[in-house]
Amino acid sequence: MLEAILLVGGQGTRLRPLTLSAPKPMLPVAGVPCTTHQIARAREAGVSHIVLGTSYQAEVFTQAYGDGGDLGVRLTYAHEKVPLGTGGALRNVAEHLHSGPDDPVLVFNGDVLSGLDIEALVEHWRSSEADVALYLTRVADPRPFGLVPTDPSDRVLAFLEKPTTPEEIVTDQINAGCYVFRRRLLDDIPDGRPVSVERETFPGLLAAGARVIGHVDTSYWLDLGTPLAFVRGSADLVRGLAPSPAVVGSTGDALVLPGANVHPSAVVDQGSTIGRDCIVHAGAHVRGSVLMDGAVVESGAEVIDSVIGRAAVIGGNCRLLETVVGDAARIGPDNEFAAGARIWPGTELGPMSIRFSAEPA
Ligand code: GDD
Ligand code: MG
């Protein structure tokens, strides 16, 4: 039996306003929550029991998944009334585990899409007799992540979470958000107070001489924590670049979910997802974007690399680039939003109220 912990209790601040109505791991990427993709992949790798470490909007997870029967795994929930951080969450989950003290327990950050060979990570942990094995990947800009330099025998040398000075940028190898822990190390995390696994537990284990190894896997990897990463991850799933057994019905260029209505003269492409009961009107163009259920894009509007919340309405001939529109917002015709714009849920905007270029495109 292999057990896993899914960390899903964060507030998803960088994805507001989307995370006002749903926790980040439950926002639909390619039509289903990131959590569903992760559970499906863990199950494929032989995981039979998953404990979700919840805090923010915990009830959304229990309502969606119950005991996990529909997904073919056993799910249990460890709720934190007050968020305990990534390490405190692991300690809080420990009593739900059945693994023995020296058994491997997998841990997943709840907002990562990846092509990691999970079984190879567990095997590396086992064959190197490690206390902890960390999944590492390489990225062009490691600064928003945890930097993890290793020696030639894969031993982790340091753990530098979100470095702030140039001297700290010693590697492009980062913590990719999945670990194998020897179970008893989880029990050793302090109880009842917030603990960061990245800032406290990992550096503490290194200082205490624990055997912590890095496992580099450079297949597909993406942290969905920002709006742009979120739309890219969704599009990559739709296009088959990110592997997930939970994506159903993609044409390769777009995923149009049941009940959605796309006018024959509209263009929906570059990995866009059109949610249930959405309407995309004549001449509209939806490119690389996510329309959540019931959203409406009116005639001639252009929606590029953007997320449109549930039941939001984008008026005719609007242009949106890298914009997040909250649930049920109503944007009148002929508005233009530049990269980084965020419209709060329920906002009502009249016609031609916001432009970012002098001339209409
Ligand atoms: N239960 C619980 N309680 N979960 C939490 C808490 C908490 O207090 N805080 C965060 N989480 C969950 C989030 O829901 C998310 O799934 C995961 O832990 C990681 O939190 P993020 O907020 O997404 O962290 P990050 O992306 O800035 O950094 C982390 O992930 C990077 C890779 O994606 C770190 O682990 C970095 O070292 C790493 O490189
Ligand atoms: Mg993250």
Side-chain angles (χ1 to χ4, degrees), residues 14 24 111 223:
R14 287 168 297 171
K24 172 168 63 171
D111 62 341
D223 173 311

Side-chain angles (χ1 to χ4, degrees), residues 7-10 14 24 53 80 83-86 89 109-112 145-146 161-162 175 179 198 221 223:
L7 293 174
V8 293
R14 287 168 297 171
K24 172 168 63 171
E80 300 147 49
L84 291 173
T86 47
N109 281 355
D111 62 341
V112 169
F145 304 108
E161 183 68 11
K162 319 251 161 79
N175 167 21
Y179 328 116
E198 298 89 352
W221 182 84
D223 173 311

Side-chain angles (χ1 to χ4, degrees), residues 137-192:
T137 191
R138 296 202 179 91
V139 291
D141 180 8
R143 287 173 300 175
F145 304 108
L147 275 58
V148 187
T150 48
D151 75 8
S153 68
D154 301 325
R155 212 165 168 137
V156 171
L157 298 171
F159 204 104
L160 304 154
E161 183 68 11
K162 319 251 161 79
T164 49
T165 63
E167 299 77 56
E168 287 179 299
I169 305 177
V170 294
T171 177
D172 61 352
Q173 254 177 211
I174 59 147
N175 167 21
C178 173
Y179 328 116
V180 181
F181 266 82
R182 188 178 294 279
R183 189 251 151 93
R184 62 182 145 81
L185 297 187
L186 298 173
D187 301 320
D188 290 344
I189 295 172
D191 198 4

Side-chain angles (χ1 to χ4, degrees), residues 48-61:
S48 55
H49 176 214
I50 302 177
V51 191
L52 275 75
T54 62
S55 182
Y56 179 66
Q57 296 195 8
E59 66 290 350
V60 179
F61 296 94

Side-chain angles (χ1 to χ4, degrees), residues 37-112:
H37 295 292
Q38 288 189 307
I39 292 173
R41 293 198 79 250
R43 178 175 173 265
E44 274 195 341
V47 173
S48 55
H49 176 214
I50 302 177
V51 191
L52 275 75
T54 62
S55 182
Y56 179 66
Q57 296 195 8
E59 66 290 350
V60 179
F61 296 94
T62 47
Q63 282 161 12
Y65 299 118
D67 64 4
D70 293 347
L71 296 167
V73 288
R74 198 161 79 78
L75 292 186
T76 47
Y77 303 86
H79 178 63
E80 300 147 49
K81 283 205 190 73
V82 179
L84 291 173
T86 47
L90 297 180
R91 178 67 185 83
N92 191 53
V93 159
E95 67 188 49
H96 293 256
L97 300 172
H98 304 288
S99 301
D102 286 309
D103 288 339
V105 175
L106 277 157
V107 175
F108 296 94
N109 281 355
D111 62 341
V112 169

